[in-house]
Amino acid sequence: MQNHVFLIATPGIGLLTPTVEFARRLINRYPNRLTATVLLIPVPQWPTIHSYIQSLHATSSPSLNFLLLPFVEPPSPDHFPSYVANITALVDQQKVNIRDAIVSESEKRRVVGLIVDLFCTFAADVANDLDVPSYLFYPSPAAFLSYELELPISNSNLTSDESLTELTLRGFANSVPRRVLLRSEMERCKNGGFSVHVDHACKFTQMKGIIVNTVQELEPFALDSLMSNGAPKVFPIGPVLNLNGSGQWNLNGAPKERVISWLDNQPKSSVVFLCFGSWGNLSGPQVNEIAIGLERSGLRFLWALRKPSKSEINPSIDFSNFEGVLPNGFLERTAKIGLVCGWVPQMTILTHQAIGGFVSHCGWNSTLESLWCGVPLATWPVFAEQHMNAFLMAKELGLSSEIRLDYEDGVDLVSAEEVEKGVKKLMESDNILRVRVKDMRDKCRVAMEENGSSYSFLGDLVEELTSHN
């Protein structure tokens, strides 16, 4: 019988897309040894994610099948107000459908594994009942994984001693400022979300292996720490990226054409790109400071500016127009050097030769994309683990500059002076950072080639999946 693996991911763009690309990589690398099914959780209430899921469902093949699970009414935000709690409850409702899919497939092929992401870990209960090995696909850095693996033991004790300003965390060579860690924990604690995170972290330790979207050459200290401290076997197989970008499935393609046309008319490496992710949005006063700082800098800029949705469990949405959002006359005064837009296909933008720097929220997908493209990054984390990612990139690895490492919208305000100084530093044409980033770009690409580190770890994973059965 042919070997078959199932994958399931949280129905959010930042989590679903790397899982899908990882499935493609598995099948493309080993077309004769493995087939795969990606289980898709329908979310028609989220239009962009729904569009992406529908596009996947239409591209199923014998070797890589995208199976749309039956629709179930999503949990009420009133009962599960935090994003993680809400999505965990949604996955839990799908357990019976996940089981049915695995049982049905096992009549035709040998099911050798269920791969879940960090918020779908409870689906592993189904695999355990069916005697199918479970693996975690972890789409964030190894350094943060090492911290999460300690959560069931340390819980929030790390942050309880207010006399400590610096904390020692496994996976980080340098002590982490307490303020940076608190920024991550505060997001988790909102609406009771922390206990759900701890429950997932407990599940991490029970997996047969953990597949990490990182590169050995990028995070050697964190990976060595994981591999020597009793964690499940770790497979760093990154960077897992959608190199085609998200433009092919987004509902609105018109802004993309306008943005690309504008970039085509800009000098090489002259534009600083500001984007804060699918959930990233900033308060009115902060938007005003950014605008003033950009205008004062005199630099060319592309700014993806979005507004918050009405619910914490939904991503940001585009403004219908920017009137009243930006300072009076800003668009007119910066018309020759800048462009403000809504959603844009980020990977497509980063690969454009006009882009010379990236001000980012430090989501891990965005961070890996910037490294893959060799575009220097300035950190401006907005919520959750982004603060730890920012610290990792700026202080641990020396691969980014910073606007802020521990920003919290509504509490802090990054001044126009800080914005101006930060983007100017980022865009220095001959700085050391630019050299380091391009060197890591080359290492990431070599890792993916035959005999590279990620190539070899992927081979080890497939060997384990197919041999123990």
Side-chain angles (χ1 to χ4, degrees):
M1 295 178 70
Q2 194 168 30
N3 296 308
H4 192 78
V5 63
F6 279 88
L7 303 94
I8 184 166
T10 303
I13 291 301
L15 296 169
L16 181 56
T17 50
T19 300
V20 168
E21 295 309 312
F22 170 62
R24 294 191 201 279
R25 186 179 298 178
L26 268 179
I27 301 311
N28 291 340
R29 170 85 177 270
Y30 296 100
N32 299 320
R33 296 187 67 181
L34 270 178
T35 56
T37 294
V38 179
L39 300 174
L40 303 172
I41 299 175
V43 283
Q45 71 273 25
W46 298 338
T48 300
I49 301 170
H50 178 66
S51 171
Y52 177 55
I53 288 174
Q54 292 294 323
S55 73
L56 293 173
H57 183 52
T59 61
S60 288
S61 68
S63 58
L64 180 56
N65 182 37
F66 294 99
L67 178 62
L68 190 63
L69 295 172
F71 174 76
V72 296
E73 194 65 35
S76 168
D78 295 333
H79 292 99
F80 301 97
S82 81
Y83 173 78
V84 174
N86 193 277
I87 212 70
T88 299
L90 178 61
V91 173
D92 198 57
Q93 290 175 330
Q94 288 282 2
K95 276 185 175 180
V96 63
N97 297 322
I98 295 169
R99 180 186 180 88
D100 288 347
I102 294 175
V103 170
S104 175
E105 189 64 41
S106 64
E107 296 174 357
K108 300 174 286 184
R109 311 182 209 192
R110 183 186 298 110
V111 178
V112 297
L114 172 66
I115 299 173
V116 300
D117 80 358
L118 71 173
F119 298 143
C120 292
T121 63
F122 295 164
D125 296 340
V126 175
N128 293 337
D129 290 343
L130 298 173
D131 200 27
V132 172
S134 297
Y135 291 79
L136 173 69
F137 177 70
Y138 194 76
S140 293
F144 196 72
L145 170 62
S146 68
Y147 164 68
E148 290 213 290
L149 286 170
E150 290 191 312
L151 277 181
I153 302 170
S154 65
N155 207 317
S156 58
N157 295 334
L158 282 169
T159 58
S160 60
D161 187 351
E162 295 187 6
S163 67
L164 295 174
T165 58
E166 301 284 328
L167 302 168
T168 301
L169 302 180
R170 194 179 90 183
F172 289 85
N174 298 287
S175 57
V176 178
R178 183 172 180 270
R179 183 176 168 89
V180 169
L181 182 57
L182 273 175
R183 292 300 195 214
S184 295
E185 293 306 335
M186 288 170 70
E187 183 67 27
R188 292 166 176 266
C189 292
K190 285 172 60 178
N191 300 316
F194 185 80
S195 63
V196 183
H197 276 277
V198 173
D199 291 342
H200 283 298
C202 288
K203 291 288 189 180
F204 292 178
T205 64
Q206 300 167 17
M207 299 291 168
K208 184 172 177 61
I210 302 178
I211 305 152
V212 189
N213 189 10
T214 192
V215 183
Q216 176 72 49
E217 291 77 6
L218 176 62
E219 292 191 87
F221 183 88
L223 288 167
D224 288 347
S225 174
L226 283 170
M227 294 173 181
S228 62
N229 280 280
K233 190 172 182 180
V234 175
F235 302 88
I237 50 77
V240 177
L241 299 169
N242 180 357
L243 298 179
N244 294 322
S246 51
Q248 72 265 22
W249 49 261
N250 190 270
L251 293 174
N252 189 354
K256 171 190 170 183
E257 301 305 322
R258 171 173 168 253
V259 169
I260 297 301
S261 176
W262 183 82
L263 286 173
D264 288 343
N265 291 315
Q266 309 307 314
K268 184 177 180 179
S269 301
S270 67
V271 177
V272 58
F273 175 41
L274 298 89
C275 185
F276 296 91
S278 301
W279 261 262
N281 51 79
L282 301 171
S283 66
Q286 187 60 81
V287 168
N288 190 69
E289 292 297 312
I290 293 174
I292 294 171
L294 286 175
E295 186 174 357
R296 287 178 179 171
S297 77
L299 293 168
R300 289 178 169 83
F301 66 86
L302 173 63
W303 183 5
L305 177 60
R306 309 187 79 203
K307 67 178 178 179
S309 68
K310 296 180 180 180
S311 168
E312 181 189 331
I313 65 172
N314 291 319
S316 304
I317 55 179
D318 284 354
F319 287 102
S320 56
N321 62 70
F322 297 109
E323 295 297 327
V325 180
L326 296 165
N328 288 336
F330 172 80
L331 293 175
E332 291 78 9
R333 292 191 302 272
T334 61
K336 293 184 178 180
I337 62 168
L339 181 63
V340 181
C341 58
W343 177 90
V344 288
Q346 184 170 279
M347 190 65 169
T348 303
I349 301 303
L350 287 172
T351 57
H352 198 285
Q353 65 174 3
I355 299 298
F358 182 25
V359 176
S360 170
H361 63 304
C362 297
W364 194 237
N365 290 333
S366 296
T367 300
L368 290 177
E369 287 175 1
S370 73
L371 289 175
W372 182 264
C373 297
V375 176
L377 180 148
T379 66
W380 191 329
V382 179
F383 60 87
E385 85 286 351
Q386 295 167 8
H387 300 89
M388 300 281 274
N389 294 349
F391 177 82
L392 173 70
M393 288 294 292
K395 302 302 184 183
E396 284 278 296
L397 306 179
L399 288 171
S400 74
S401 61
E402 60 188 90
I403 305 292
R404 282 281 180 92
L405 292 179
D406 55 4
Y407 174 78
E408 184 183 357
D409 196 29
V411 176
D412 306 311
L413 191 67
V414 179
S415 68
E417 288 75 16
E418 288 177 273
V419 174
E420 178 186 4
K421 181 180 177 181
V423 295
K424 282 183 174 179
K425 180 180 179 182
L426 174 65
M427 295 298 285
E428 290 176 2
S429 60
D430 57 351
N431 59 21
I432 296 175
L433 173 62
R434 196 169 295 275
V435 175
R436 287 176 176 169
V437 169
K438 289 184 177 179
D439 179 60
M440 186 54 65
R441 174 197 62 187
D442 296 341
K443 289 179 179 178
C444 287
R445 297 187 179 209
V446 169
M448 300 285 291
E449 297 173 357
E450 188 170 358
N451 299 320
S453 60
S454 295
Y455 185 96
S456 298
F457 277 113
L458 183 61
D460 293 344
L461 172 65
V462 173
E463 189 64 34
E464 181 171 301
L465 282 169
T466 57
S467 63
H468 75 272
N469 284 278

